[in-house]
Every structure is written in C-alpha cells, then in structure tokens.
Amino acid sequence: MTRLTGARQETLNYPDRGATSGRPLPAGYNHLRHRARIGRGRPAFEAAGAAVTTFVAHRASGMRVRTAAADQAAAVRPGLRVEVGMGLGPLRITAPCEVIWTAYEPARTGFAYGTRTGHPARGEESFVVEIDDDGAVWFTVTAFSRPDRWYTRLAGPVLPLLQHAYARHLGRHVRALAARA
C-alpha cells in the first residue's frame, strides 16, 4: 500500500508533495526518470526492496545517511526525517529530507523523500523496486528538482547530469545487493 503523509507540509521547501507517486511530474523542475533491470526472481526483489527501504543501498553507494529513527536500520516510514550527506571534509554537503510516501506491496517496494528547508535543492525523489509478471526485477528513480542554493544554481545544467549519474550509480549498487540473494 502506498501511503502519503498528512499535514506536515510546512517542513518541506516545495509545494508539490507526493508528485513522484505516479501522477505527472510538476512543471518548473528538472525531471529524472531512470529505470534499470537489476535481477530476476522473488529473492532478488525482496533483497533489493529491503536494501532500498533501509538505506543500505544508499550507504553502499557512498552516501552518508542519518535518520531520526532510533533504529538506523529500520525500514522507512512516512514522516521519517533523513539527512543525506555527500562529499568530503569541508566540501561535505548535507541535505535534509523527509519521507513522503512508502510502498510495501507484493510487486512494488520503495519510498520517496522530499527536500526540507536547508536542502541545496527543492523537489522530491523516489526509489522503487518492482517485479513484473515474468520475474524481472527493476529499480526506478524518479525525481523532480531545481536548485535552491547559490552553489546549486551556479552548477546550472550540470546538476541534472550529476543527479542522473548518481541514479545509475545507485542502480549498480542495488543490482549488486540483489545479486547476493
């Protein structure tokens, strides 16, 4: 079941809450849709879904992830606040987010988080693992975003390219984690 959170909109720095859950992505943002086949069969689907919804895949890809949950390995839930960090030393960027929706369904597992005040961008990104009728397992990243800080505005057209490169990079890590199943 896909769940959207309720009235905590004020924590987000964009108005289009939940748009990655299946409706058309809003205008005025850069859009990203990346889909990659990551394996085959129920064990690969379950392993990939668990890796995505516990941030194991994000951490394996080199991101630092901190959550407000007491159990840092717990599965995501709507309303969970997350801080994603990237970079090294003084060049480290932290990005506060909040989980907007989750999907824990027989053929679809994943979540989306939205940007909170202080994030270098505005928008939302979803990470979903699906298994189709013939057993193929797919990983999809869907996002809409636009710069919200001077340094992300300065990056201009490079930012969507970096976001797409990270989606591919994350997909390779999800594939490797699914292959271990």
Side-chain angles (χ1 to χ4, degrees):
M1 163 185 354
T2 300
R3 294 190 51 201
L4 293 174
T5 59
R8 290 179 52 177
Q9 179 94 12
E10 71 280 359
T11 65
L12 302 175
N13 67 358
Y14 69 101
D16 304 291
R17 177 189 205 100
T20 58
S21 67
R23 57 184 189 225
L25 298 179
Y29 296 89
N30 296 310
H31 295 171
L32 167 69
R33 292 186 195 275
H34 173 72
R35 187 172 192 239
R37 187 172 174 164
I38 57 163
R40 180 167 203 70
R42 179 70 43 188
F45 168 73
E46 290 173 1
V52 167
T53 59
T54 59
F55 295 109
V56 167
H58 284 74
R59 289 181 177 109
S61 75
M63 299 297 270
R64 186 187 76 209
V65 179
R66 292 189 302 188
T67 72
D71 178 3
Q72 293 289 308
V76 298
R77 66 189 186 316
L80 179 68
R81 292 185 177 187
V82 180
E83 185 177 88
V84 180
M86 57 199 102
L88 298 170
L91 298 178
R92 179 167 293 281
I93 296 172
T94 58
C97 302
E98 184 174 321
V99 175
I100 302 302
W101 60 262
T102 58
Y104 293 99
E105 302 165 5
R108 181 174 176 256
T109 301
F111 74 96
Y113 53 43
T115 58
R116 296 181 63 230
T117 302
H119 194 291
R122 289 177 181 256
E124 192 171 290
E125 191 166 23
S126 69
F127 309 92
V128 176
V129 177
E130 296 174 291
I131 186 168
D132 61 24
D133 291 339
D134 72 353
V137 180
W138 299 88
F139 174 64
T140 304
V141 177
T142 304
F144 62 92
S145 64
R146 64 178 172 235
D148 195 44
R149 295 282 181 264
W150 68 267
Y151 53 89
T152 52
R153 284 190 289 275
L154 186 63
V158 173
L159 204 56
L161 297 174
L162 293 173
Q163 191 175 25
H164 191 82
Y166 178 70
R168 288 191 312 268
H169 177 71
L170 183 59
R172 287 189 294 273
H173 286 278
V174 173
R175 182 181 298 116
L177 292 164
R180 294 180 189 161

